[in-house]
């Protein structure tokens, strides 16, 4: 039996902007930008994992809003799913896995070097952000 593990990432919105996070590790991903998130733990739903990961990595409380349709392959055995989320409380800080954070307006979303696998979801997230 092959088990595919899910990595859930958040398109976090606040005041019309999208949060981007620059990875500090591993070396092959360091310097590239992503939607922050991480692996589901056993028994967790994707929204539960997202809330936990964003709390651990950024020190913020968030509320998942809706899933962005699609699933993107990562390394063998892993797939990426993306949810939009609303910032409820806290100011994001790069506590784990990242060394810089930026709030991007829709016009500026292409100014960072997104990981390839995140790009389709970033495009859809920006479309939702523009739609309000
Ligand atoms: O924090 P945890 O170890 O659970 O997960 P992670 O290291 O942040 O992410 C697991 C894998 O998903 C890594 O290989 C990341 O490169 C990948 N990932 C991604 O491609 N795009 C994202 N938005 C988030 C994670």
């Amino acid at each position: 039996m092959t088990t595919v593990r899910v990595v859930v990432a958040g398109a976090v919105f606040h005041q019309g902007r999208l949060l981007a996070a620059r990875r500090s590790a591993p070396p092959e991903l360091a310097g590239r930008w992503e939607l922050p998130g991480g692996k589901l733990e056993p028994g967790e739903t994707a929204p539960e994992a997202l809330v936990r990961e964003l709390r651990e990595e950024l020190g913020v409380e968030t509320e998942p809003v809706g899933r962005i349709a699609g699933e993107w392959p990562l390394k063998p055995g892993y797939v990426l799913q993306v949810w939009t989320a609303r910032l409820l409380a806290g100011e994001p800080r790069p506590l784990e896995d990242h060394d810089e954070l930026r709030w991007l307006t829709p016009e500026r979303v292409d100014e960072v070097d997104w990981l390839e696998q995140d790009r389709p979801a970033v495009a859809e997230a920006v479309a939702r952000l523009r739609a309000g």
Side-chain angles (χ1 to χ4, degrees), residues 7-9 23 26 29 34-39 53 57 74-75 78 80 96-97 115 117-118:
V7 173
V8 62
R23 289 195 68 104
L29 301 178
E34 69 174 10
L35 300 170
K39 303 178 197 81
E53 288 283 349
E57 294 185 359
L74 302 173
K75 57 195 168 186
Y78 289 84
L80 177 68
E96 263 182 23
D97 296 348
L115 289 173
Q117 57 267 27
D118 284 44

Side-chain angles (χ1 to χ4, degrees), residues 41-68:
E41 288 180 355
E44 269 183 333
T45 64
E48 286 167 353
L50 182 63
V51 168
R52 176 184 53 73
E53 288 283 349
L54 296 177
R55 187 182 291 137
E56 290 171 3
E57 294 185 359
L58 307 172
V60 292
E61 295 304 318
T62 56
E63 176 183 48
V65 175
R67 182 161 167 203
I68 292 182

